[in-house]
Amino acid sequence: MADTEEERSPPPQGGGSVQFLLANKLETAMWLSRLFTVYCSVLFILPLLGLQEAANFYQRALLANALTSALRLHQRLPHFQLSRAFLALALLEDSCHYLLFSLIFVNSFPVTMSIFPVFLFSLLHATTYTKKVLNAMGPNSMAFVRTFLDKLATNQQSILKFIACNEIFLMPATVFMLFSGQGSLIQPFIYYRFLTLRYSSRRNPYCRTIFTEMRILIEHFIMKPACPVFLRKIILNSIVLVSRLAPTGA
């Protein structure tokens, strides 16, 4: 599936899981940072250690995600160059998008909606490598974990659509945070840039898909005779405005 498949590592050559992990150091580092992101995200969503600690776990989750994204970006583009061409290539990578996402929210007021994409992407991306580790441990090892991973894989498309919904609705959320005094003036503008990158993503079409589905659903609703004319006009003008803000050629 798009945006969730890791570059395949060679199958373990005997020796068990430890040898497999050591033989794939970069992917192992990303796997561990994703697991840590999942751990911190859960402790933020379920504040079992108190609200103050939950806010700390929110920041740790975003920092861990930034580390994962940086490692993944290095894996995809290993030869760094200080040039516009390299930056243009980097901005095409989903890992660069979520490095930017982490930097946008890491020092902001904790928002539950902003942690779900980080949490779910880390969970999905960790799934493939976890299966490889389990295979290195033995074909029948930890059957209950394998069952959970299979269920995640089965529901992957629904999870990716849910992530895309979060990405979209975080745009008005950043504007609301600005007017409520919990966000910065620049945050909505930077997040708009992030959203355009997600809309143009080559590997993950779900942001475009959700925008299209929302437009079809809203247009179907406002064309009903029961919809007031003034409301229909406002919504149609809003659709035109959003369409103009969308990246061209996506």
Side-chain angles (χ1 to χ4, degrees):
M1 294 295 296
D3 201 43
T4 60
E5 293 184 355
E6 294 296 324
E7 293 178 2
R8 297 187 176 277
S9 303
Q13 302 293 325
S17 58
V18 175
Q19 287 78 4
F20 173 71
L21 294 173
L22 293 175
N24 301 277
K25 293 182 178 65
L26 182 58
E27 289 195 4
T28 299
M30 289 191 292
W31 178 62
L32 292 174
S33 63
R34 282 167 179 152
L35 293 179
F36 184 70
T37 303
V38 170
Y39 168 75
C40 293
S41 300
V42 169
L43 288 180
F44 168 72
I45 297 168
L46 303 174
L48 302 176
L49 302 178
L51 294 178
Q52 182 60 43
E53 280 300 314
N56 293 334
F57 280 115
Y58 172 84
Q59 193 172 54
R60 290 169 193 166
L62 289 169
L63 288 173
N65 183 70
L67 173 61
T68 306
S69 299
L71 290 173
R72 178 62 174 158
L73 186 60
H74 173 70
Q75 186 183 49
R76 295 280 296 173
L77 300 172
H79 304 295
F80 176 77
Q81 298 175 12
L82 194 61
S83 66
R84 291 182 62 182
F86 181 85
L87 178 60
L89 283 176
L91 289 174
L92 294 175
E93 296 294 334
D94 290 359
S95 51
C96 183
H97 303 169
Y98 266 86
L99 176 58
L100 176 62
F101 181 91
S102 297
L103 296 176
I104 292 171
F105 289 104
V106 69
N107 288 318
S108 70
F109 185 83
V111 182
T112 304
M113 191 185 296
S114 66
I115 211 69
F116 277 117
V118 167
F119 166 56
L120 293 173
F121 266 135
S122 295
L123 192 62
L124 287 176
H125 281 115
T127 299
T128 302
Y129 199 70
T130 302
K131 287 181 178 179
K132 294 178 182 179
V133 174
L134 293 177
N135 289 337
M137 294 172 65
N140 299 316
S141 58
M142 303 183 74
F144 68 96
V145 176
R146 292 176 183 273
T147 302
F148 174 72
L149 297 179
D150 289 339
K151 287 183 178 180
L152 273 180
T154 301
N155 295 287
Q156 181 174 272
Q157 189 173 23
S158 298
I159 294 171
L160 289 172
K161 284 188 173 184
F162 178 74
I163 293 171
C165 285
N166 272 265
E167 292 173 348
I168 292 168
F169 287 109
L170 269 170
M171 184 69 250
T174 58
V175 177
F176 176 78
M177 288 169 62
L178 172 63
F179 287 107
S180 64
Q182 296 175 341
S184 66
L185 181 62
I186 198 173
Q187 189 177 49
F189 297 99
I190 301 176
Y191 190 79
Y192 166 71
R193 177 56 176 157
F194 165 81
L195 194 58
T196 60
L197 292 172
R198 298 305 295 155
Y199 187 89
S200 305
S201 175
R202 299 177 302 177
R203 302 181 66 222
N204 188 329
Y206 291 97
C207 190
R208 292 192 299 276
T209 300
I210 294 298
F211 265 117
T212 302
E213 290 178 355
M214 288 173 59
R215 178 172 183 169
I216 293 171
L217 183 64
I218 292 171
E219 288 179 342
H220 175 73
F221 169 75
I222 63 176
M223 292 306 169
K224 290 183 178 181
C227 180
V229 176
F230 79 93
L231 181 60
R232 181 182 303 141
K233 187 175 181 180
I234 291 172
I235 294 176
L236 285 174
N237 288 335
S238 299
I239 291 174
V240 171
L241 175 62
V242 172
S243 299
R244 286 177 180 173
L245 292 173
T248 56

